[in-house]
Amino acid sequence: MTNKHSLLLAVGVLLSVLLSLVACNRRVDSTEQWRIANEKAFAEYADSTDFIKATVDGSTAYVYKKQTKKGQGNEYPIETSRVLIHYEAYQIAGEKGKIDGNFESEAPARLSLSRGTNGDLISGMRIGIQNMVQGEEALIVIPWHLAYGASRKGNVQAYTAFRYLVRLDSIIPETAE
C-alpha cells in the first residue's frame, strides 16, 4: 500500500511540475502584445520634460501635451464647445506613419468636443483641446483607453495609443450656427 501511495504522490508531483511549466510558457496573443507595446510607448512620455500632463476639472484622466506654437488669448474651449482644428494623427507604437489628418487642406475640421452622448472626438482629444487656446499648436499623446479602447475602429487596432499634432484654429461662439 505504501508503494502505491508513493507512486501516486510522485505522479501527482510530476503532473504539477509539468502543468506549471506549461503555464509559465503561455504565449501572449498578438492583441495583448499590442496593448503592452502601446502602454510602454505612452509611459515613455512620463519622463519627458517637454511634455506636461493635461487634464480637465473633475477628472483624473490625462494626456501628455507639448506646445509647439504659442496661441493668442486666454480663452479655452469648454466641454460643450465647437472648434475648428487642423490635425495629424499617428500611432505611437508599431508602424508610426500618419494615419489621418487635414493639415494639407485649407479647410479645418469642424468638431463638437462633446454635445450629447455622440461627440465627434475621442476622449483624449477632448482633454487635449480643452487645454489649448486659439492659434496654439501642440502635440497631444493619448493612451489607448482614452482613444478607441479595447475596440477596433476601422483600420485602427484595439488598444492603440496616438500622438496628434493639433492646431486650434478657432473656438466657435455658442451663438453661431
Side-chain angles (χ1 to χ4, degrees):
M1 189 73 119
T2 54
N3 283 344
K4 195 175 195 180
H5 186 337
S6 296
L7 181 62
L8 286 174
L9 183 61
V11 168
V13 169
L14 182 61
L15 282 173
S16 296
V17 169
L18 287 174
L19 287 174
S20 67
L21 288 175
V22 170
C24 289
N25 290 326
R26 140 182 116 80
R27 293 180 58 117
V28 177
D29 69 30
S30 61
T31 301
E32 181 71 5
Q33 288 174 339
W34 182 249
R35 183 188 62 78
I36 292 167
N38 276 273
E39 288 175 353
K40 181 181 177 190
F42 181 76
E44 289 173 1
Y45 287 90
D47 296 329
S48 174
T49 57
D50 295 333
F51 286 82
I52 61 164
K53 279 186 179 178
T55 189
V56 292
D57 289 339
S59 175
T60 58
Y62 64 91
V63 299
Y64 290 114
K65 180 184 164 235
K66 175 184 175 182
Q67 185 181 70
T68 57
K69 181 182 172 194
K70 189 169 174 65
Q72 58 272 7
N74 58 5
E75 180 185 357
Y76 293 86
I78 60 172
E79 185 177 357
T80 58
S81 292
R82 292 171 294 159
V83 296
L84 297 175
I85 67 167
H86 278 88
Y87 71 96
E88 289 180 349
Y90 302 85
Q91 294 179 164
I92 64 171
E95 185 64 40
K96 297 179 183 175
K98 183 172 84 170
I99 59 172
D100 192 16
N102 70 346
F103 263 102
E104 300 83 26
S105 170
E106 286 186 29
R110 181 182 174 129
L111 302 168
S112 295
L113 293 186
S114 181
R115 291 200 174 233
T117 57
N118 296 321
D120 294 335
L121 295 174
I122 58 176
S123 297
M125 279 289 280
R126 287 186 199 120
I127 293 168
I129 291 172
Q130 286 182 71
N131 283 275
M132 297 176 72
V133 296
Q134 184 170 315
E136 182 178 345
E137 198 169 283
L139 290 172
I140 300 172
V141 182
I142 302 170
W144 64 263
H145 59 275
L146 295 177
Y148 299 113
S151 302
R152 182 177 191 91
K153 176 78 172 186
N155 291 331
V156 176
Q157 297 180 54
Y159 303 108
T160 298
F162 292 97
R163 178 176 50 89
Y164 279 83
L165 173 62
V166 179
R167 183 178 67 224
L168 178 57
D169 295 314
S170 68
I171 303 167
I172 300 169
E174 290 294 318
T175 57
E177 285 290 323

